[in-house]
Amino acid sequence: AVGDVFSRNCLTKRKAVDWSKLPAYLLRQIAELLVVDVADYVHFRAVCTTWRSAAVDPRRRPPQLPWLLLHHDRTTNRLYFFSFSDAKTHSIRLPDRACDCHICLSCDGWLVLKKASSRICLLNPLSRTLIELPPVFKLLRAPQLRRSYQDITIDIMKRYNVRAIAMSSNPRARQHWTIQASFRFMPDLPVLASLRLSDWYSWTLIDHSTMYDDVICIKETFYTVNEAGQVAVFNSRLEKMAMVGSPTRTSIFFRSWRLVESSGELLVLRNVLFELTPTVDKKNPNQLPVYSTDRVEIFRLKSIAGKLCLVTAKCLDDQILFVGLGRSFARHATSYPPARRNSMFLAEEYDFMRNDNLLCRIESGEYNFGDEIMEPLPYDRVEYESIGYTSIWHSPSL
């Protein structure tokens, strides 16, 4: 239809087409078809105000295939993403206010950044909206921790890592918005904390007794998984409602636990690494040792006789997973035809091995639960440089 309009204008008027004058019903039809790759949708909305007003509400778009954040070029202040929808690399320039930031992870279309001042920010790279959060290091002044860590300097307090973060809703809405996050202060101080819109100026300490590997929010219910594989369930008021699972023996060959939502159901994943000597590049002996995946274990959170349990699963049915540090995703296999059903895409990750002070690199790859074989990811033909500790899955959202 657009082609017909273009031809008719060219043949009759012999002048350039004013694309802003396209009929509204045609623009709506085009916008409704742009559901495969959010990049096309962004380009459509950027043409002019007429095209933008004709586009469907971005919040009603179906879940997109995630992008993989590969590189942050600090010289140009640009991010480079690999898109699984079109097998291309896209670049997005960061706002000037985010030029000194370190990218920690991604959550629901927002990147979690740590500024040079140690403040945490949320950035939507498509809308370029930047939200600064209250200082995290003030958590160490909580009554439960003040006595044990009263001699720690401000400089040491600011040296923390963001391990996981989950949000109850889009922060742009700013209504009933709650964050739950896992931090690591120094090697031996894990912290689980929350932030509500009502107490915007400070974080609240929830727990500091164990390391929490991942956090997720599903329908206003928060779930966390600790390093022993136990899942804690919190209601919308962040009151702990249940603790599911018995403590699992930790091993240096178990990578961090991961939580994934699959069709409203919670999946708990554990990547078991080969217990063999890691691969070391003899030409570059200073490079980090590399571990690869032996198998991936799946558990489903089920209610049996009114009691929550973790049930072992053997397959993903027709789902494919995108798993890594920060937010992990489940998508229907038909949304990405090149993938084999019952498969998982693991992003490259850097982490300290369990019960050891050894920093290593854990290989990326596509893992199939049927044959338990790892294969290279589709972007292995794309030249890129790791952004630092890990590559990050990012679900683009407006």
Side-chain angles (χ1 to χ4, degrees):
V2 176
D4 292 342
V5 173
F6 177 82
S7 300
R8 185 168 59 253
N9 278 275
C10 289
L11 291 175
T12 58
K13 299 182 180 180
R14 299 292 182 182
K15 64 180 181 179
V17 178
D18 184 357
W19 291 100
S20 65
K21 302 300 184 182
L22 282 177
Y25 76 92
L26 282 181
L27 292 174
R28 286 193 294 269
Q29 290 182 24
I30 298 170
E32 290 173 357
L33 294 174
L34 300 177
V35 296
V36 177
D37 188 359
V38 70
D40 293 333
Y41 189 76
V42 171
H43 294 155
F44 177 91
R45 289 168 56 89
V47 171
C48 62
T49 55
T50 303
W51 286 42
R52 183 181 180 88
S53 62
V56 295
D57 187 342
R59 292 171 294 182
R60 298 180 181 178
R61 292 174 52 78
Q64 305 294 295
L65 286 176
W67 289 356
L68 190 61
L69 177 56
L70 301 174
H71 177 49
H72 178 195
D73 188 335
R74 293 185 177 276
T75 303
T76 60
N77 200 27
R78 300 189 74 88
L79 300 179
Y80 290 85
F81 298 88
F82 177 80
S83 169
F84 278 70
S85 299
D86 56 11
K88 294 180 180 179
T89 301
H90 301 282
S91 70
I92 298 177
R93 190 177 186 279
L94 290 177
D96 293 337
R97 290 191 297 158
C99 63
D100 64 341
C101 292
H102 168 73
I103 301 170
C104 302
L105 41 84
S106 176
C107 179
D108 298 335
W110 294 75
L111 294 175
V112 181
L113 312 179
K114 184 179 180 183
K115 302 184 72 173
S117 62
S118 85
R119 295 287 290 263
I120 294 294
C121 297
L122 300 177
L123 170 70
N124 186 319
L126 294 184
S127 68
R128 298 171 62 84
T129 303
L130 187 69
I131 300 175
E132 189 167 298
L133 303 183
V136 173
F137 65 84
K138 291 186 178 180
L139 281 166
L140 295 186
R141 297 174 180 171
Q144 305 95 309
L145 299 175
R146 187 180 303 162
R147 181 175 302 176
S148 301
Y149 298 94
Q150 58 183 349
D151 297 330
I152 294 180
T153 64
I154 292 293
D155 182 58
I156 294 178
M157 292 169 66
K158 292 181 177 180
R159 299 176 188 174
Y160 62 88
N161 295 325
V162 186
R163 292 190 59 85
I165 192 169
M167 300 186 291
S168 61
S169 60
N170 191 319
R172 293 187 67 178
R174 297 291 186 92
Q175 293 179 349
H176 309 293
W177 181 48
T178 303
I179 291 179
Q180 192 172 49
S182 172
F183 303 104
R184 182 175 187 172
F185 290 86
M186 304 167 291
D188 59 345
L189 179 56
V191 169
L192 182 68
S194 66
L195 177 68
R196 299 170 184 260
L197 181 60
S198 57
D199 34 81
W200 179 244
Y201 293 101
S202 63
W203 291 83
T204 300
L205 178 65
I206 298 176
D207 186 23
H208 62 94
S209 61
T210 183
M211 181 68 70
Y212 288 87
D213 286 342
D214 206 359
V215 180
I216 195 171
C217 184
I218 304 175
K219 297 178 180 178
E220 298 188 352
T221 299
F222 286 88
Y223 302 86
T224 65
V225 59
N226 63 21
E227 58 184 355
Q230 295 176 295
V231 176
V233 183
F234 297 83
N235 60 20
S236 59
R237 297 185 298 276
L238 293 179
E239 300 167 336
K240 186 183 290 186
M241 306 301 294
M243 178 68 80
V244 186
S246 301
T248 302
R249 178 183 63 87
T250 58
S251 164
I252 64 171
F253 300 106
F254 288 157
R255 190 167 71 163
S256 302
W257 296 80
R258 295 287 176 256
L259 300 176
V260 188
E261 178 188 2
S262 176
S263 302
E265 182 181 53
L266 180 68
L267 301 183
V268 184
L269 310 174
R270 179 172 62 174
N271 186 358
V272 183
L273 307 178
F274 278 109
E275 298 189 20
L276 302 176
T277 303
T279 302
V280 178
D281 189 346
K282 295 182 179 180
K283 296 182 180 179
N284 299 291
N286 294 327
Q287 294 293 321
L288 295 175
V290 180
Y291 283 86
S292 57
T293 297
D294 179 21
R295 67 186 187 277
V296 179
E297 300 171 350
I298 317 173
F299 304 89
R300 298 179 187 271
L301 185 66
K302 295 283 190 180
S303 179
I304 301 178
K307 183 179 179 180
L308 290 176
C309 304
L310 291 176
V311 180
T312 302
K314 298 297 183 182
C315 67
L316 297 171
D317 300 324
D318 290 328
Q319 299 288 309
I320 53 176
L321 303 183
F322 299 84
V323 179
L325 184 67
R327 187 66 188 269
S328 300
F329 305 91
R331 296 290 184 263
H332 199 277
T334 56
S335 64
Y336 186 53
R340 296 176 294 169
R341 63 182 297 273
N342 200 29
S343 291
M344 172 189 298
F345 293 88
L346 295 165
E348 181 182 70
E349 190 171 331
Y350 292 74
D351 203 356
F352 287 92
M353 299 306 291
R354 293 290 191 218
N355 302 326
D356 201 338
N357 198 29
L358 174 66
L359 181 65
C360 68
R361 179 168 67 87
I362 303 169
E363 284 187 316
S364 62
E366 179 185 355
Y367 177 85
N368 184 264
F369 288 92
D371 52 26
E372 297 185 348
I373 293 177
M374 282 276 287
E375 295 182 353
L377 288 182
Y379 72 83
D380 63 350
R381 295 177 297 274
V382 180
E383 293 184 1
Y384 75 97
E385 178 183 351
S386 174
I387 64 170
Y389 283 111
T390 186
S391 297
I392 298 172
W393 295 114
H394 176 71
S395 179
S397 172
L398 295 172

